[in-house]
Amino acid sequence: MHPRIISELRAIVGERGLITETEQLRTYECDGLTNFRVVPLAVALPASGEQVQAIVRICHREGIPFVARGSGTGLSGGALPVESGIVISLARLNRILDVDLPNARVVVEPGVINLQVTQQVAPHGYFYAPDPSSQSVCTIGGNVAENSGGAHCLKYGFTANHVLGLKVVLPDGEIVELGGKTLDQPGYDLMGVFVGSEGTLGIATEITLRLVKRPEVIQTLLAAFHSTDEAGAAVSEIIAAGILPAAIEMMDNLSIQAAEAAVHAGYPQCEGLLLVELDGPTAEVALSMERVTAICRSCGAWEIRLAQSDAERLVVWKGRKAAFAAMGRVSPDYIVQDGVIPRTALPRVLREIKQLSEAAGLRVANVFHAGDGNLHPLVLYDRSVPGQEHIAEELSFDIIKLCVQAGGSITGEHGVGREKQKYMSTMYAEPDLDTMQLVRCAFDPRHLANPDKLFPRPRLCAEKPGRYEPHPLEQAGIAELF
Amino acid sequence: MTVDSQTLHTDLSAIVGAEQVRAAVPADAIDGVQPQMIVEPDDEAQVAAVLRLASGAGLSVVPRGGGSKLGWGNPPRSVDLILSLRRLNQVIEHAWGDMTATVQAGCRVAELQRVLAEHGQRLALDPLWPERATIGGILATNDSGSLRARYGTLRDLVLGVTIALPDGTLARSGGKVVKNVAGYDLPKLINGAFGTLGVITEATFRLYPLPAHVRCLRFQASEVSALHRLLLRVLDSTLVLTGAQLAVASESPPVLDLRCEGIAEALDDQIAQLMQFGTGLSVAPLDPVDWHGYDSLWSEDEQELICKVSVLPSDIGALTQTIRRVAGPMQLGWELKIQALGTGMLRIAGANEQTLLAALSILRAESGQLAGSCVALHAPLAVKQKLDVWGAAPGSLPLMRRVKDRFDPQHVLNPGRFVGGM
């Protein structure tokens, strides 16, 4: 990067706010998806929204691509740097700006950690509902970019359902407010499309969130089954009974072993473990839990335990939330997938995953949000065995294709990022993707914000929609104008 | 408009068949703007073909479902074609085991609910006029009622949409599963876009079970402030309400209706707790069938103004004071129904257009100070012609225009009717 630009950036963020040394830059070369690594030209750590704006303005003027980054816990490579660009870390924008309890709203900067929001308001009986497993380290800005979910989104919804307003630095450096503290603001729901846009539409510098009142009572049940089929049947019956649990999680034997080795949650050793959490008014939870217990029994549960204290409940959850990381205990390497299927397809898809796993000669552990059909199959392999990584990638792709064929999605909460770009075409036809690109072209016609992510291939945006002059690349038949 | 009627009729007939094209009559006019033809496609491919034809011929198109909210929005700059979605009226799939449903845009809300109820489920939304309103219409206008207190609005319920763009592209986005973050969330963009970006042909929703039991209470007080305090107390409690609606009017005492749904035995507890919160206020059980949403407030009276208002829940009391302060001296009759989360509808009956116009301007300025909004849904044409019914342009309008220009570069769809004259 030109020394003039370096000094301009340094003037904005200060000496300690700009990283240009290769060794230090390596800290930022990947996110939670570690098999893709790119060292950026520089990393800027602004301390205010104005600094973010000033940096983006320079990027826009100079045509430098930028990638926004929170804690870098994303699992799809969304924060993977661009070789010819810079990373804008939002870690220093970590203030909670406003807490408005009468209206159950908070305004935060993007670098605030997810769990800190809940910690801030918990003494008043409120919590922030989206709870990705990484909630103790991931940032709200990253959650907004990825539309993060979590175990409890079955009942409470995703990040998109909890964001009310955004202040955004657009890719041309303009600042725009989308949504706000009051609901149903006139105009297009650009906030709705910004959430989950994976950093491709700009950088949020202030985020207004909706809080939820902590329920009167929370109860968590563990049920051990002889098979994932039985456990899956119980899930369907619970939902069919009109009960909406806060969460229903399922783990298979391999996941249980791994989680036990890591966390000692005291899970029963079984083929299919269900974790059902109910919350709400005391009387309703008590009655619903009786029904859930009866359903689990009738579906073949041979052991049913109700967590007896908050401490017990937390241990149960700790095991579940540690499940990915715990895979290191049973396999040197693994690929985690994030496919979604209609809940009723669960038993069939699990059987087919088993067949694929056997055919590929690799183990697949299953740990997932069973209530909303969000699978997290973990394909276990050993990188040191020649060819095995490739087989694991193929198997992983086959599992995703299975999900799409079942009427589902390639990703329920981890995002497309770099990892699943190539899968997008299995789910959407060209016109569908082209239509999404219209939004991209309106926000970022020069593709500076997190370029080459999310979409299977880049597209050129005509500078002015409507009548246009053909782009030279288009005339030469190299690129398609859109 | 660059084509003569005969050519247009022939071209449209070639797409949908001659019997599904007819000349518009005066009753089809929108805010005094007379369309030329009504066209009724049979399927989404025909919808797309009609749009492609209209774009090519430089025609303006207004999509129409049940027509119940066709008077909302600014008067159109022009209307050549009304694109009726009447024939796209099927419930394509009710995947009751997955609690999702896919339905065509022209299906009436009540018809969808009847189909879903066969398996004890519902679209957890209570929009205006369900017997007339269609799925496409409620999506385009982002209509909602009291159930939003618990289930949110359509943006929280819609999982996927198929839209036909002005250039004839048919695009699907979102999916049929409740959890999906693949690609941009276009269903949210389309919801509430007033049919200015594309024509919705089909949508998939997440569903909820029909409640086993419903119990409602009606609290009355002489002062709004007492009911507002109760409402805030309920919101700050662990009780789970599926409706909380405050009704305030110039001529009658304020009431607060509260609704709980769930298992009968568990509801007793909630009701007891509500009664305790409202100690000192007059309270009576309300039969759920007597719960009236916005329908009862609505009128087709030419000389009335009906606004959608939105403020913070804590500002509901201040809003009612503002309305009283504005309407009192002008001797305007008014009625406000507002939901727990601060969104509501306000009807103002005025002597003449000047008074309504003046009242609206003051209300807008004052609700703006409450960080809220006030959109005129229904107003005398003379009022609508003098202002933007959507209120002051939001700061994001230039960006909204860029989105509009990408989706509909020639401004074929509903020209002029949306925010900022988009």
Side-chain angles (χ1 to χ4, degrees), chain A residues 26-260:
Chain A
R26 286 206 185 281
T27 311
Y28 297 87
E29 68 184 356
C30 67
D31 60 9
L33 182 76
T34 53
N35 49 340
F36 292 88
R37 289 168 195 264
V38 174
V39 177
L41 295 179
V43 176
L45 294 115
S48 68
E50 292 72 29
Q51 289 186 7
V52 174
Q53 180 182 36
I55 295 165
V56 171
R57 278 199 171 135
I58 291 176
C59 289
H60 186 252
R61 190 191 70 207
E62 304 289 337
I64 299 168
F66 58 87
V67 178
R69 180 185 171 104
S71 294
T73 56
L75 294 169
S76 57
L80 181 74
V82 182
E83 208 172 37
S84 60
I86 66 166
V87 166
I88 302 177
S89 164
L90 284 311
R92 290 164 71 185
L93 273 83
N94 58 359
R95 290 166 299 178
I96 295 178
L97 301 173
D98 183 34
V99 179
D100 177 3
L101 291 176
N103 294 305
R105 284 146 169 79
V106 289
V107 183
V108 303
E109 290 186 321
V112 168
I113 304 296
N114 173 299
L115 196 58
Q116 285 173 350
V117 180
T118 290
Q119 284 165 348
Q120 175 87 21
V121 297
H124 308 281
Y126 285 86
F127 72 112
Y128 176 62
D131 62 337
S133 292
S134 56
Q135 71 180 135
S136 58
V137 280
C138 65
T139 64
I140 295 294
N143 293 173
V144 167
E146 302 297 320
N147 189 13
S148 302
H152 292 82
C153 58
L154 174 63
K155 177 169 180 177
Y156 291 101
F158 321 98
T159 302
N161 307 107
H162 296 269
V163 174
L164 297 172
L166 295 170
K167 188 186 254 190
V168 171
V169 177
L170 294 176
D172 63 0
E174 287 302 303
I175 288 182
V176 67
E177 296 205 20
L178 310 177
K181 280 181 93 177
T182 54
L183 303 174
D184 294 3
Q185 301 212 349
Y188 296 130
D189 185 3
L190 299 183
M191 176 183 70
V193 81
F194 188 93
V195 176
S197 61
E198 305 193 9
T200 62
L201 300 181
I203 300 178
T205 57
E206 279 182 27
I207 301 153
T208 305
L209 301 172
R210 184 168 75 86
L211 299 171
V212 180
K213 190 74 186 176
R214 185 164 294 284
E216 192 174 22
V217 64
I218 306 172
Q219 284 192 359
T220 309
L221 172 129
L222 278 181
F225 294 85
H226 297 291
S227 68
T228 49
D229 269 14
E230 281 182 6
V235 172
S236 290
E237 285 203 27
I238 291 167
I239 301 286
I243 297 168
L244 180 60
I248 309 184
E249 303 286 300
M250 200 196 291
M251 294 168 85
D252 69 0
N253 188 271
L254 202 47
S255 314
I256 296 167
Q257 284 178 32
E260 275 300 307

Side-chain angles (χ1 to χ4, degrees), chain B residues 197-316:
Chain B
L197 298 177
V199 176
I200 302 161
T201 60
E202 192 180 294
T204 301
F205 299 98
R206 74 175 294 177
L207 307 174
Y208 284 90
L210 279 166
H213 296 276
V214 185
R215 301 268 299 270
C216 302
L217 287 178
R218 167 165 287 186
F219 288 90
Q220 291 200 30
S222 52
E223 291 300 321
V224 177
S225 56
L227 295 177
H228 185 218
R229 269 198 306 277
L230 172 58
L231 176 62
L232 291 178
R233 174 137 191 221
V234 171
L235 288 178
D236 188 42
S237 77
T238 54
L239 296 175
V240 183
L241 269 67
T242 61
Q245 178 179 266
L246 181 66
V248 194
S250 53
E251 309 297 332
S252 49
V255 297
L256 175 65
D257 293 343
L258 301 176
R259 181 176 56 219
C260 308
E261 298 178 344
I263 308 168
E265 301 91 312
L267 288 180
D268 290 340
D269 266 20
Q270 295 216 49
I271 292 292
Q273 215 168 327
L274 285 174
M275 304 273 272
Q276 197 222 323
F277 284 172
T279 306
L281 298 174
S282 142
V283 59
L286 175 71
D287 190 322
V289 301
D290 291 328
W291 178 290
H292 293 294
Y294 299 131
D295 296 49
S296 66
L297 172 145
W298 206 265
S299 86
E300 296 299 324
D301 190 325
E302 296 279 310
Q303 288 308 312
E304 289 191 345
L305 184 66
I306 296 172
C307 298
K308 177 173 179 176
V309 291
S310 176
V311 292
L312 287 170
S314 64
D315 286 336
I316 291 174

Side-chain angles (χ1 to χ4, degrees), chain B residues 9 11 29 36 68 73 75-76 82 100 112 115 139 168 185-186 209 221 229 241 248 254 262 267 296 318 320 387 390:
Chain B
H9 194 280
D11 291 348
Q36 198 176 347
S68 61
I82 287 190
T100 60
L112 172 65
V115 171
L139 274 167
D185 198 341
L186 296 189
R229 269 198 306 277
L241 269 67
V248 194
L267 288 180
S296 66
T320 59
L387 46 74
W390 300 96

Side-chain angles (χ1 to χ4, degrees), chain B residues 19-20 40-42 84-90 104 106:
Chain B
E19 65 286 359
Q20 283 162 226
E40 290 184 353
D42 277 318
S84 166
L85 279 298
R86 202 171 67 93
R87 289 170 180 269
L88 279 79
N89 60 3
Q90 299 298 303
Q104 287 187 306

